Amino acid sequence: MEKLLEIKDLVVHYKTSEFTVEAVNNISLSINRGESVGLVGETGAGKTTTALSIMQLIADPPGKIVNGEIYLDGVDLCKLSQRELIKIRGNKVSMIFQDPMTSLNPVITIGEQIAEVIRLHNKVSRSEAQMRAVDMLNLVGISEERFNDYPHQFSGGMKQRVIIAIALACNPELLIADEPTTALDVTIQAQVLDLMENLKKEFNTSLLMITHDLGVVAEICDKAAIMYAGEIVEYGNLEHIFNKTKHPYTKGLFESIPKFDEEVERLKPIVGLMPDPSNLPDGCSFAPRCPNRTEECTKGEIPAIEVEPGHIVKCINFIA
Amino acid sequence: MSTILEVKNLKKYFRTPKGLLHAVDDISFKAKQGETLGIVGESGCGKSTLGRAIIRLHEPTSGEVIFDGQDITKLSNKEFDKVRPDMQMIFQDPYSSINPRMSVSEIISEPLIIYKRFNNRQGIENEVARLMDTVGLARRFANSYPHELDGGRRQRIGVARALSLNPKFIVCDEPVSALDVSIQAQILNLMQDLQAERNLTYLFITHDLSVVKHISNNILVMYLGNMVEYASSKDIFKTRLHPYTKALLAAVPIPVLGMKKERKLLKGEITSPIEPKPGCRFASRCEYAKEKCSNEQPELIEALEGHFVACHYVKEINNI
């Protein structure tokens, strides 16, 4: 399969006068055409920063891409000018943000907001853009009578569909979805996931799905990358991640979730807290919380080991 | 075990410009001492209002709340002040439910001072230290302010505050929803330990079905202010009888491979809880709905032993 997105050795820091937050530390990740990759991690793991780096939307200052390359279709996005980036955002790459309540403009009708992105990227008349916007509304299951309604007239799930319609209006090759269903109820989440899956099949769009919910990954992704303290600690297909878990952090995550399908008397939480990203420990960032820790873990760079083809784990004492 | 709380036909209506909003409509149940009753439902179904009405943070519109043998809705504020120490609450958002201008020890000691549990500073200080140990907060945080602490530690403050007056009954309103899974597991374990130690009764409100399954003895499912199903946790997860409960549980993404099932999507508009029409409130989204459903409100009936359902066609749908 052809690579669509390739991130190489990405490092992103947020600098303030007092300290430097090492949000993303040397991650590499690639996504093929038509493939869905889940980026999983807890608050502060660097998931959203990674997504914003791809979009080149890191606020500078305080943020800065310190190192690394991000290739989309062979073009390094980090080297493009703002003018060139504007042509790509919303067109070849689109992003769905987490909170559907705040990512729409409250004073513009939703139809106009969808038409706007179509007019920005295509040489079409206003009326043709509106017609295509109506098509997008139908696609996400909203009746066209609501074209002239304002965001506050929609429920959360409906707003998220409008945002998906905007994101897909120009047939992007890559869709980045940052926790698209976290703010929604489960029955509405099921509708939105179903919609995204159908659209993915129809348009062969690649998907980077950012989430903290391993259940969502199991339903919609082909591969998963587990992030911890700015690093991808484990990467592989779903079989690797779910059934042949190697990294102690990934295992800890699974054990922390109350099981839906079996009885567990007591949960096994991961001890301790995530390290402060402005003061990361030497060696492996997970070592202070890790049950498999040895002395080597706290020294130097931890290598990424390919335990079997396509299954990469950043741990020297990974689970056998 | 003895019944500590009995709620009878509890109603809480809110006046709005558009009419009366039926937030909690005719809820009845019993809770046994030392057990956990889970309240499940989607946003806006009235689960938080129910929790608050029980401890009179909202004055109930009608109905009885019999706690420890007396109907607390009939008590004057002064009389109720004597009962309040026995009924405490843990709030959802550990970021906004504690006063940012008070230190950890001030927050935890406030109830002790109000209820004059100690007549000297030393007694209060010792008690705060003991409570901090109980919930696993290191004593060095006693003089810290909330903004210096992470979400998990803040929620521990919330738990310590709720425990400070040695209550019998605690309303837990989404106590772990704002937390990452590894921290969530720590708090859930803490709550279970405290329950076992002190024979506490929890009313556990949550939208997270895996959490509620893990922690509850009995589960009450709510839909738009009504009770739709009530049974033991085991029964509900094994044999769900109400169409809404079925759709709700089927929508939960499960983090296990090969569990992916055909998503059963709910269609149709959600009925408004303002001046609701007679009939089943779920009828507009229910695939089994017939004419009777939109005319007549279903009564809660005991469909199987100890398993209560409010649905006209529960027998036909489930072949029982």
Side-chain angles (χ1 to χ4, degrees):
Chain A
M1 265 201 282
E2 190 192 348
K3 262 182 201 166
L4 174 67
L5 177 82
E6 190 174 14
I7 302 175
K8 278 186 180 168
D9 308 319
L10 181 70
V11 180
V12 185
H13 289 174
Y14 294 98
K15 279 190 182 134
T16 69
S17 53
E18 287 155 45
F19 45 75
T20 301
V21 174
E22 299 173 11
V24 171
N25 303 311
N26 224 352
I27 71 165
S28 299
L29 180 71
S30 57
I31 302 179
N32 296 328
R33 264 181 212 284
E35 192 175 65
S36 310
V37 176
L39 194 57
V40 185
E42 297 182 274
T43 317
K47 310 182 295 284
T48 300
T49 300
T50 306
L52 292 175
S53 309
I54 299 170
M55 298 295 282
Q56 297 289 313
L57 284 173
I58 298 280
D60 179 7
K64 196 157 186 68
I65 296 182
V66 179
N67 184 35
E69 290 133 44
I70 300 170
Y71 293 100
L72 181 76
D73 247 352
V75 180
D76 187 353
L77 297 174
C78 300
K79 295 211 169 65
L80 296 184
S81 67
Q82 280 303 326
R83 185 173 284 208
E84 289 165 311
L85 283 170
I86 285 170
K87 288 189 191 142
I88 289 177
R89 287 186 201 129
N91 193 15
K92 283 182 89 166
V93 190
S94 279
M95 183 156 171
I96 302 171
F97 294 91
Q98 176 167 0
D99 186 357
M101 313 303 158
T102 56
S103 41
L104 287 169
N105 188 331
V107 295
I108 301 178
T109 64
I110 57 111
E112 200 48 49
Q113 294 190 53
I114 303 173
E116 182 188 12
V117 61
I118 297 170
R119 272 192 291 124
L120 273 176
H121 292 294
N122 301 284
K123 279 193 179 139
V124 292
S125 68
R126 194 167 273 267
S127 60
E128 199 187 331
Q130 289 207 349
M131 266 161 54
R132 281 171 60 179
V134 168
D135 290 344
M136 291 312 297
L137 271 187
N138 288 331
L139 187 74
V140 296
I142 298 178
S143 75
E144 54 181 277
E145 291 140 38
R146 308 208 58 181
F147 190 88
N148 289 318
D149 283 355
Y150 289 89
H152 74 269
Q153 293 167 296
F154 290 84
S155 64
M158 299 272 266
K159 274 187 221 170
Q160 198 57 294
R161 286 181 203 205
V162 172
I163 291 163
I164 292 175
I166 293 173
L168 293 174
C170 293
N171 270 332
E173 290 165 43
L174 174 66
L175 179 63
I176 303 172
D178 187 1
E179 308 248 13
T181 58
T182 305
L184 307 176
D185 280 322
V186 278
T187 56
I188 311 296
Q189 164 173 292
Q191 292 173 357
V192 171
L193 289 180
D194 198 60
L195 171 70
M196 288 179 70
E197 214 172 13
N198 290 340
L199 296 173
K200 212 181 75 190
K201 275 186 207 138
E202 201 167 321
F203 299 110
N204 199 32
T205 314
S206 304
L207 175 67
L208 181 66
M209 181 74 157
I210 297 176
T211 178
H212 65 274
D213 187 338
L214 286 159
V216 170
V217 175
E219 289 219 352
I220 197 164
C221 297
D222 306 313
K223 290 181 179 163
I226 311 288
M227 276 192 94
Y228 184 78
E231 289 179 81
I232 292 178
V233 294
E234 186 161 8
Y235 171 83
N237 63 30
L238 294 193
E239 176 69 20
H240 294 147
I241 301 289
F242 284 75
N243 295 344
K244 298 179 182 167
T245 314
K246 292 289 179 206
H247 199 283
Y249 175 64
T250 316
K251 181 164 175 264
L253 269 188
F254 278 111
E255 284 176 346
S256 299
I257 312 171
K259 302 286 178 294
F260 205 72
D261 52 332
E262 53 185 288
E263 293 293 325
V264 182
E265 268 302 301
R266 237 183 120 69
L267 300 171
K268 285 188 223 152
I270 304 172
V271 292
L273 301 169
M274 185 155 349
D276 179 353
S278 65
N279 184 19
L280 290 176
D282 279 340
C284 173
S285 308
F286 186 61
R289 302 173 77 183
C290 182
N292 293 10
R293 169 189 59 227
T294 56
E295 206 162 302
E296 280 77 53
C297 296
T298 51
K299 290 175 199 152
E301 184 78 355
I302 304 296
I305 302 164
E306 188 158 13
V307 285
E308 61 182 294
H311 189 183
I312 296 163
V313 57
K314 221 171 183 181
C315 176
I316 46 175
N317 296 318
F318 59 81
I319 301 152
Chain B
M1 260 178 283
S2 61
T3 300
I4 186 163
L5 176 80
E6 185 174 2
V7 172
K8 280 188 192 166
N9 307 99
L10 190 70
K11 291 181 185 170
K12 176 65 200 175
Y13 297 169
F14 292 104
R15 226 173 260 135
T16 71
K18 287 178 191 159
L20 271 188
L21 189 150
H22 294 219
V24 171
D25 215 353
D26 208 6
I27 302 266
S28 306
F29 63 83
K30 285 179 191 170
K32 285 197 189 107
Q33 183 150 25
E35 291 199 345
T36 302
L37 173 67
I39 311 278
V40 189
E42 296 181 281
S43 46
C45 74
K47 45 189 197 310
S48 290
T49 309
L50 173 64
R52 285 164 179 256
I54 289 170
I55 56 171
R56 285 182 60 184
L57 283 180
H58 291 313
E59 285 300 333
T61 307
S62 70
E64 292 170 39
V65 177
I66 297 159
F67 178 74
D68 238 359
Q70 61 178 337
D71 182 359
I72 57 163
T73 59
K74 304 268 190 311
L75 299 179
S76 69
N77 279 338
K78 209 165 184 188
E79 289 167 322
F80 186 54
D81 276 348
K82 295 201 187 83
V83 185
R84 221 176 233 138
D86 285 337
M87 309 179 93
Q88 293 290 313
M89 182 150 179
I90 300 170
F91 295 89
Q92 171 168 11
D93 184 356
Y95 295 85
S96 61
S97 60
I98 47 185
N99 188 336
R101 302 180 67 158
M102 285 164 79
S103 70
V104 173
S105 68
E106 284 170 337
I107 294 166
I108 300 174
S109 61
E110 196 182 22
L112 299 171
I113 295 168
I114 292 173
Y115 276 94
K116 301 193 177 66
R117 287 291 163 97
F118 295 92
N119 46 21
N120 58 48
R121 259 212 91 64
Q122 196 54 46
I124 292 175
E125 268 170 34
N126 291 343
E127 181 64 11
V128 168
R130 202 183 58 79
L131 283 163
M132 288 179 73
D133 291 346
T134 311
V135 299
L137 266 175
R139 289 189 190 182
R140 68 193 148 93
F141 293 119
N143 294 317
S144 302
Y145 284 85
H147 74 268
E148 298 171 80
L149 306 177
D150 58 273
R153 288 210 178 97
R154 285 189 216 206
Q155 201 53 297
R156 285 177 199 266
I157 302 176
V159 176
R161 178 177 62 179
L163 287 177
S164 60
L165 296 173
N166 222 346
K168 295 178 184 160
F169 172 72
I170 303 181
V171 175
C172 316
D173 188 1
E174 307 255 15
V176 295
S177 304
L179 307 175
D180 277 318
V181 283
S182 69
I183 308 301
Q184 170 181 305
Q186 295 176 2
I187 301 289
L188 287 175
N189 281 350
L190 169 68
M191 291 182 66
Q192 281 182 313
D193 292 345
L194 292 170
Q195 179 169 45
E197 247 165 59
R198 300 170 173 229
N199 203 21
L200 287 169
T201 310
Y202 291 141
L203 187 79
F204 200 98
I205 299 167
T206 182
H207 68 278
D208 188 328
L209 291 148
S210 1
V211 167
V212 86
K213 172 172 189 278
H214 178 73
I215 200 152
S216 308
N217 302 88
N218 293 306
I219 291 178
L220 190 163
V221 184
M222 283 182 78
Y223 187 79
L224 286 178
N226 286 141
M227 247 172 118
V228 297
E229 191 160 355
Y230 175 87
S232 73
S233 173
K234 261 199 199 107
D235 285 348
I236 282 213
F237 280 85
K238 217 164 58 199
T239 42
R240 42 205 95 153
L241 299 177
H242 196 282
Y244 174 64
T245 317
K246 287 176 201 265
L248 189 67
L249 294 184
V252 179
I254 298 174
V256 177
L257 291 189
M259 289 291 282
K260 193 170 167 180
K261 61 249 157 196
E262 268 307 296
R263 272 187 219 114
K264 223 180 181 182
L265 297 179
L266 284 178
K267 297 207 170 66
E269 288 288 310
I270 301 172
T271 320
S272 164
I274 297 173
E275 305 281 357
K277 294 179 206 72
C280 173
R281 291 186 193 167
F282 185 61
S284 62
R285 297 171 83 192
C286 179
E287 57 178 312
Y288 306 102
K290 295 188 186 129
E291 206 187 325
K292 188 179 177 189
C293 301
S294 40
N295 297 325
E296 211 178 299
Q297 173 135 14
E299 297 272 323
L300 200 69
I301 53 161
E302 190 164 5
L304 294 171
E305 204 194 334
H307 197 143
F308 297 84
V309 186
C311 173
H312 290 306
Y313 297 103
V314 58
K315 297 223 154 80
E316 288 86 334
I317 293 167
N318 297 291
N319 296 321
I320 48 172

